[in-house]
Amino acid sequence: MINFDFTNKTILIVAGSSGIGGELCKQFLNYGARVCIVSNSKKKLSNMIKKNDKYKSRIMTVRLNLEKKTTIKKINTIFLKIKKRFKANVDILINNSGGPPLKKIVDLRESDIFKSLNMNLLNQIYFSINAIKIMNKMEWGRIINLTSSTAKEPAKNMVLSNIFRAALSSFAKTLSIETAGKGVTVNTILTGGVATNRLLD
């Protein structure tokens, strides 16, 4: 059995209040990490704090609507809050996001496109830009993008996921090339079906 130890590591999980992100938060806390989770849902963030009450000194939450337009500068304030709370920089960034709605191309609306663009691509890019600046200085860091198998093989009626998941994978590969040799790794996991509430619903 592998004995993981994330003591003294600071983890930032985007969309970390439920589903895959929520489980990652739980496991990182179990293995000694300090964890910040970002989510738009005040209720879900509150529930995560309650569920992990025994780790309250090592967990923090930040509310951010990932579907809305933001800026690199605004995302940077999250990294500053983490450093102030934990007296440490982010060591590991988990770029996670909820899945966009099922859509056919002919049924797309502009609002669908821009919400998914923000939620599934731009925010992940902005988080990565802020993280990589810190990690390059530390000469150590991990950026992990959780996307979807649709990034490799487009799926029927999932045009939004097909487009933006593939784009994020391409961005991540480009970033990994730029950071090669600096002690920072960038990887993308193409998740398949997972028994989260989204799938069960």
Side-chain angles (χ1 to χ4, degrees):
M1 180 177 178
I2 300 175
N3 183 24
F4 295 106
D5 185 2
F6 288 93
T7 304
N8 295 324
K9 294 296 183 186
T10 302
I11 322 296
L12 171 55
I13 305 175
V14 182
S17 63
S18 62
I20 296 173
E23 183 62 25
L24 284 172
C25 174
K26 173 184 172 182
Q27 294 304 323
F28 276 122
L29 288 169
N30 286 342
Y31 289 110
R34 299 177 289 253
V35 180
C36 174
I37 54 176
V38 176
S39 172
N40 178 47
S41 173
K42 184 177 180 180
K43 181 178 180 181
K44 288 182 178 180
L45 289 172
S46 179
N47 286 340
M48 285 296 291
I49 292 292
K50 291 177 182 177
K51 288 179 181 178
N52 297 283
D53 182 65
K54 63 180 178 179
Y55 300 124
K56 59 185 177 183
S57 66
R58 292 192 282 112
I59 184 174
M60 68 175 286
T61 62
V62 175
R63 192 175 180 190
L64 178 70
N65 189 339
L66 297 169
E67 292 184 348
K68 290 188 176 181
K69 184 179 179 180
T70 186
T71 63
I72 295 173
K73 185 176 181 180
K74 184 174 181 179
I75 297 299
N76 183 55
T77 63
I78 296 175
F79 285 80
L80 295 176
K81 288 178 181 178
I82 293 170
K83 187 171 184 179
K84 183 177 180 180
R85 166 69 190 279
F86 293 136
K87 303 296 188 293
N89 285 312
V90 172
D91 296 291
I92 301 172
L93 167 65
I94 309 292
N95 271 323
N96 182 40
S97 66
L102 301 180
K103 288 279 183 177
K104 292 182 178 180
I105 293 175
V106 294
D107 296 327
L108 283 177
R109 298 173 299 177
E110 289 180 353
S111 59
D112 297 324
I113 295 170
F114 284 105
K115 282 182 180 180
S116 186
L117 173 65
N118 292 326
M119 181 174 68
N120 301 120
L121 180 61
L122 290 184
N123 276 297
Q124 283 73 16
I125 290 175
Y126 295 163
F127 273 100
S128 296
I129 289 172
N130 279 289
I132 204 66
K133 292 177 181 178
I134 294 170
M135 294 173 181
N136 281 344
K137 289 180 181 178
M138 296 193 301
E139 297 185 338
W140 196 94
R142 302 288 181 263
I143 297 177
I144 301 169
N145 302 290
L146 302 180
T147 63
S148 167
S149 56
T150 60
K152 185 176 181 181
E153 182 61 37
K156 183 180 179 181
N157 297 336
M158 297 185 70
V159 60
L160 294 170
S161 183
N162 297 342
I163 294 170
F164 298 117
R165 305 293 199 183
L168 181 58
S169 295
S170 182
F171 168 80
K173 182 61 179 179
T174 305
L175 184 58
S176 72
I177 294 169
E178 288 188 9
T179 61
K182 296 182 180 179
V184 181
T185 62
V186 183
N187 290 284
T188 300
I189 299 174
L190 309 185
T191 61
V194 179
T196 62
N197 288 336
R198 172 180 165 83
L199 182 67
L200 297 176
D201 289 344

